[in-house]
Amino acid sequence: DTEVTQTPKHLVMGMTNKKSLKCEQHMGHRAMYWYKQKAKKPPELMFVYSYEKLSINESVPSRFSPECPNSSLLNLHLHALQPEDSALYLCASSLEDGTGELFFGEGSRLTVL
Amino acid sequence: GENVEQHPSTLSVQEGDSAVIKCTYSDSASNYFPWYKQELGKRPQLIIDIRSNVGEKKDQRIAVTLNKTAKHFSLHITETQPEDSAVYFCAASYSGAGSYQLTFGKGTKLSVIP
């Protein structure tokens, strides 16, 4: 299994809603990442988890809250988002933090109304 | 921090021609340089990567060259096909335990005209 699986694929939410994005990998990777990608732009790093501990938080607003329940799962909890947060949210994993290829999921396309 | 410049932003080639995309980086400590291809509506996928102890790497129609002195690296695609049409991102990072942060270039939209 060389896949990173993300759910849901599409999400529409209002500014007062609370929702979560989920990511799962079964490749034994110990580093997992959240990226945000706006149209026609490169992915922008949000968070890095290494061995289930948050190792990088790129000054992301607190309305985004990551969680790593175990080495295979990564969540991104969303609360009180703004319309400018609408984007493609990509989860990725790599063998370890600092080495080798990033495997990306297909992404969750978020629209905030 | 690292800064990666990528050129051109758009590139159109005839099917069968070659395509070259160039990137420069600023941090001499960077030692890992991947290239990602992202088709419309799809995830970025690694197509080739190179580490700083190697000057060139080839995989079928795709090759990457690295000039550490000049701090630039390039992607070469030969015999282009319509399915090569996509956005290509170069990236650079210092690959070491606890320090992995991939900096992406702004991307090149490649169109291969049949």
Side-chain angles (χ1 to χ4, degrees), chain B residues 83-108:
Chain B
E83 51 265 38
D84 294 328
S85 296
V87 178
Y88 291 80
F89 293 102
C90 64
S93 79
Y94 171 69
S95 183
S99 60
Y100 186 86
Q101 274 189 266
L102 204 56
T103 301
F104 286 91
K106 291 193 188 308
T108 296

Side-chain angles (χ1 to χ4, degrees), chain A residues 11 13-20 77-81:
Chain A
L11 179 63
M13 59 187 290
M15 289 190 284
T16 57
N17 291 160
K18 283 186 182 180
K19 297 285 185 184
S20 297
H77 302 296
L78 314 170
H79 174 54
L81 295 192

Side-chain angles (χ1 to χ4, degrees), chain A residues 33-109:
Chain A
Y33 310 75
W34 281 113
Y35 281 86
K36 173 182 177 180
Q37 188 176 30
K38 297 282 243 183
K40 300 183 181 180
K41 299 285 188 186
E44 181 184 330
L45 184 65
M46 299 174 74
F47 303 104
V48 180
Y49 273 84
S50 177
Y51 289 86
E52 300 159 51
K53 287 186 169 42
L54 184 64
S55 63
I56 294 175
N57 175 341
E58 288 288 358
S59 303
V60 179
S62 60
R63 57 186 185 269
F64 295 91
S65 175
E67 179 196 16
C68 189
N70 60 54
S71 60
S72 299
L73 294 174
L74 187 65
N75 298 322
L76 186 63
H77 302 296
L78 314 170
H79 174 54
L81 295 192
Q82 304 296 310
E84 58 265 29
D85 297 322
S86 298
L88 181 68
Y89 288 84
L90 292 161
C91 174
S93 69
S94 67
L95 195 60
E96 287 184 7
D97 180 13
T99 63
E101 179 180 355
L102 276 184
F103 288 80
F104 283 93
E106 290 284 7
S108 294
R109 187 161 299 282

Side-chain angles (χ1 to χ4, degrees), chain B residues 2-109:
Chain B
E2 176 62 277
N3 182 48
V4 176
E5 300 279 342
Q6 183 172 349
H7 299 281
S9 56
T10 59
L11 180 60
S12 289
V13 299
Q14 290 291 134
E15 183 177 356
D17 287 351
S18 295
V20 181
I21 302 170
K22 299 184 179 184
C23 289
T24 59
Y25 62 98
S26 61
D27 189 346
S28 56
S30 289
N31 59 4
Y32 176 62
F33 306 93
W35 286 86
Y36 283 84
K37 175 184 179 182
Q38 188 173 25
E39 296 176 48
L40 191 62
K42 299 284 182 79
R43 75 185 88 188
Q45 288 194 288
L46 182 74
I47 55 170
I48 196 165
D49 57 11
I50 192 166
R51 296 184 186 274
S52 58
N53 58 348
V54 175
E56 184 174 358
K57 185 175 176 182
K58 197 171 180 180
D59 183 3
Q60 299 183 350
R61 297 184 298 106
I62 294 172
V64 58
T65 58
L66 171 65
N67 183 327
K68 282 176 58 180
T69 305
K71 288 193 242 169
H72 66 70
F73 56 113
S74 300
L75 178 72
H76 304 253
I77 306 173
T78 58
E79 299 170 25
T80 54
Q81 300 166 5
E83 51 265 38
D84 294 328
S85 296
V87 178
Y88 291 80
F89 293 102
C90 64
S93 79
Y94 171 69
S95 183
S99 60
Y100 186 86
Q101 274 189 266
L102 204 56
T103 301
F104 286 91
K106 291 193 188 308
T108 296
K109 184 177 179 182

